[in-house]
Amino acid sequence: MSSLLLTNIYWVLPEVLLAVLLTFLLGYGVVLSKFDKARGQYIKTTWLSIIVLFFISTILLEQLVCIGSSSSSEILVSGGFLCCNEFILGVKFLSVLTTLLILILSLRSTIEDSIVDYEFSHVVILSLLGMLLLVSSGDFLMFYLAIELLSLSFYVLAGVKKHSQHSTEAALKYFLLGALASGLLLFGIGLIYAYTGTTNFSGVSQFIWYTEGSSIGGLFIIIALLFKIAAAPFHSWAPDVYEGSPTIVTAFFAIVPKLATVSVLIILLNGPFVGIFSDLQPVLIFSAVSSLLVGSIAAINQAKLKRLLAYSSISHVGFLLLGILTNSILSLQATFIYLIIYVIMSINTWTFVLSVFKHGNYITQLSGLSRTNPVLAMSFVLVLFSIAGIPPLAGFLSKYLILLELVNNSFYVLALIAVICSAIAGFYYLRIIKWMFFKHNTTFHLKDIGDVLYPINTRIGISLTQSLFLGATLWLVLTLLLFPNLLLTFSSKILVSAFI
């Protein structure tokens, strides 16, 4: 009995450590809140979170090696409430790593945005715990509790800048629309339980073949997940939340949750919902096409960079859904590779935004950046080309693999739509480049809530950390297409062991 308990604890050790860290941070914050002079010490909690996340990432790597060498491809924990396989552990490792990078970036940006970094790091760790539990879920009860923990943390993060009207508005919009998605999710789980008599993933996958009404429950659950990743037509919250939230929070929203939620979508469609996949496929096709069209067309007239990037992320979600809807092991590999490359490009993009924009986020503020900081401008151009899918950059590899699988599975019309939307999206990336290289204003007049005059940033102070992030991600963008073997091998190994 004790051996079984120790085994269970070992496979949920990352979650246990996060829970212990959260308990410590909560007590630490209560104590420090009583002493005004100690508020400057909050920065130490962020460093503590970074150290613990680094330790957790090493544990996840060790677990990956351990399960890869074992005879069992999947480990069930707590009677199937949680489960572990190579794919789940790989996603958890990437989630912890990207959260670690976001926290490192927040060391400077929380000071610039007047955010209490203790509060920010605490809620980020809480949301990460929800993501790890969500990815590991083997039962719809745990699935619902995890996704609600994740969602509630996000609502708080969106409004973390308490004295900002934009931040408060973003949090309220996110909460109201998120409550609707949570209701749909819970209703879908209720229908699944009513028709199959179980909430366990393995049990649902066995009985769902014989129950016609289960498709409706699965549909509600998939719609709720599409809302969480801002897929059209459930995307209306994304541009407003991206714009209103502090930039470091927006960077977190744009990167980490998509990694976890898209992975959960893959797990559901190849696990409990494999018997009704043909019923859910039309919904995925409609959402994928809608996301591509909305993300490509709606961004054209955007004046603010954060809103433009919100629509760009919606377009990327469309590509991810195109990879999921064919549901072959090669298409899932293409989707997972796209997800990893999207994370790399997003880290570079949001590090650039944090470096350049201190006040406002208008595209016109990039005017003349090629003169004031040509290296930074040129590196961002390369990343924009990669996001647009131009060879020989990493973004081309990700889109090429998705399109190849669409053609191989005879989805010719969808492949054509994806190519056309990528060409349209290239236009608004060229707008950004135009302002950086061919516009040289010194000041300009902007209108937001009131009239604001923003000067062009003639001197951009980039920290060493931001420089390292920009350089490392740019190197990956330049080299992944030329040396893709490690990425292909890693993605193939964890997917084959989990789904075959």
Side-chain angles (χ1 to χ4, degrees):
M1 189 68 171
S2 60
S3 176
L4 178 61
L5 178 62
L6 290 175
T7 302
N8 286 343
I9 292 175
Y10 171 73
W11 290 109
V12 296
L13 191 55
E15 289 86 348
V16 172
L17 289 176
L18 285 179
V20 171
L21 174 62
L22 285 168
T23 304
F24 173 79
L25 288 176
L26 184 60
Y28 187 74
V30 170
V31 172
L32 285 187
S33 66
K34 302 298 182 182
F35 304 97
D36 291 336
K37 294 181 180 179
R39 292 184 183 274
Q41 299 177 14
Y42 281 145
I43 189 72
K44 295 181 180 179
T45 63
T46 303
W47 277 112
L48 175 63
S49 301
I50 291 170
I51 293 170
V52 172
L53 289 186
F54 178 78
F55 182 61
I56 290 174
S57 65
T58 60
I59 293 175
L60 288 168
L61 281 177
E62 197 273 336
Q63 289 179 342
L64 264 172
V65 174
C66 182
I67 200 170
S69 59
S70 67
S71 57
S72 177
S73 61
E74 187 171 73
I75 307 294
L76 298 180
V77 182
S78 301
F81 264 76
L82 297 172
C83 60
C84 287
N85 56 40
E86 285 193 64
F87 177 72
I88 290 173
L89 290 174
V91 173
K92 288 166 70 173
F93 170 74
L94 292 173
S95 299
V96 171
L97 182 61
T98 49
T99 305
L100 172 63
L101 298 178
I102 292 294
L103 284 178
I104 293 174
L105 284 174
S106 74
L107 290 171
R108 176 175 176 176
S109 59
T110 49
I111 297 174
E112 294 174 345
D113 288 338
S114 301
I115 299 172
V116 180
D117 41 28
Y118 159 75
E119 296 176 353
F120 176 77
S121 61
H122 196 169
V123 181
V124 165
I125 296 299
L126 190 63
S127 65
L128 177 62
L129 176 60
M131 277 182 270
L132 297 191
L133 291 173
L134 177 64
V135 173
S136 303
S137 297
D139 191 284
F140 277 113
L141 292 178
M142 178 58 70
F143 175 83
Y144 178 75
L145 292 174
I147 206 167
E148 283 306 294
L149 176 62
L150 174 66
S151 300
L152 291 172
S153 303
F154 285 172
Y155 306 150
V156 175
L157 275 177
V160 72
K161 201 171 181 180
K162 293 173 287 221
H163 303 294
S164 168
Q165 180 180 347
H166 281 176
S167 184
T168 305
E169 181 184 355
L172 182 60
K173 288 180 179 178
Y174 200 2
F175 171 73
L176 292 176
L177 294 174
L180 174 61
S182 297
L184 293 175
L185 177 65
L186 191 59
F187 183 61
I189 293 174
L191 287 176
I192 291 291
Y193 178 72
Y195 282 106
T196 63
T198 181
T199 56
N200 187 268
F201 283 3
S202 60
V204 170
S205 64
Q206 294 174 12
F207 292 110
I208 206 167
W209 297 82
Y210 313 108
T211 54
E212 296 180 0
S214 299
S215 300
I216 303 174
L219 176 63
F220 280 113
I221 293 173
I222 294 301
I223 288 175
L225 289 177
L226 292 176
F227 172 88
K228 299 299 181 183
I229 59 176
F234 315 104
H235 67 284
S236 58
W237 61 271
D240 293 331
V241 172
Y242 274 45
E243 180 188 351
S245 302
T247 304
I248 187 63
V249 175
T250 306
F252 182 69
F253 286 165
I255 301 172
V256 189
K258 284 186 173 57
L259 181 62
T261 312
V262 171
S263 301
V264 167
L265 196 57
I266 292 174
I267 292 171
L268 289 179
L269 292 174
N270 290 272
F273 293 162
V274 66
I276 58 173
F277 180 80
S278 58
D279 298 328
L280 300 176
Q281 191 180 48
V283 179
L284 295 174
I285 293 174
F286 174 75
S287 183
V289 173
S290 300
S291 299
L292 288 171
L293 292 173
V294 170
S296 300
I297 297 173
I300 291 176
N301 291 324
Q302 297 301 319
K304 296 184 177 181
L305 186 59
K306 287 168 71 173
R307 291 186 70 89
L308 186 147
L309 291 175
Y311 284 109
S312 175
S313 71
I314 294 170
S315 179
H316 285 298
V317 168
F319 266 97
L320 290 168
L321 292 177
L322 289 178
I324 292 174
L325 62 86
T326 55
N327 209 36
S328 65
I329 193 65
L330 289 177
S331 66
L332 294 181
Q333 182 186 18
T335 305
F336 191 64
I337 290 174
Y338 193 107
L339 200 53
I340 293 175
I341 293 176
Y342 167 78
V343 167
I344 293 170
M345 295 186 300
S346 295
I347 291 173
N348 186 287
T349 301
W350 288 104
T351 304
F352 172 85
V353 174
L354 287 167
S355 303
V356 174
F357 294 94
K358 307 304 179 185
H359 302 284
N361 64 98
Y362 287 86
I363 298 173
T364 48
Q365 288 177 260
L366 295 173
S367 175
L369 183 62
S370 61
R371 289 186 175 181
T372 57
N373 198 324
V375 175
L376 181 63
M378 195 62 216
S379 65
F380 190 50
V381 167
L382 291 173
V383 174
L384 288 176
F385 282 161
S386 178
I387 296 173
I390 296 175
L393 304 171
F396 171 77
L397 172 65
S398 59
K399 291 189 176 183
Y400 169 76
L401 293 175
I402 295 286
L403 293 173
L404 181 64
E405 286 308 305
L406 288 175
V407 173
N408 289 340
N409 289 275
S410 302
F411 289 99
Y412 302 114
V413 176
L414 292 179
L416 181 61
I417 292 173
V419 171
I420 294 173
C421 289
S422 292
I424 296 172
F427 170 76
Y428 55 77
Y429 297 129
L430 289 175
R431 281 183 58 220
I432 300 175
I433 296 172
K434 180 191 75 172
W435 275 100
M436 287 193 296
F437 283 85
F438 305 109
K439 297 288 185 178
H440 304 292
N441 296 336
T442 55
T443 57
F444 47 89
H445 197 65
L446 301 176
K447 290 186 177 179
D448 194 1
I449 295 177
D451 292 339
V452 183
L453 188 64
Y454 288 117
I456 299 295
N457 291 327
T458 55
R459 297 181 62 185
I460 298 173
I462 302 178
S463 67
L464 176 61
T465 301
Q466 292 170 339
S467 299
L468 290 174
F469 278 34
L470 290 170
T473 50
L474 178 62
W475 179 78
L476 290 172
V477 165
L478 294 173
T479 57
L480 276 179
L481 181 61
L482 302 177
F483 307 100
N485 289 341
L486 179 62
L487 189 57
L488 291 171
T489 303
F490 171 71
S491 59
S492 176
K493 186 176 186 303
I494 64 174
L495 285 165
V496 168
S497 66
F499 299 119
I500 291 184

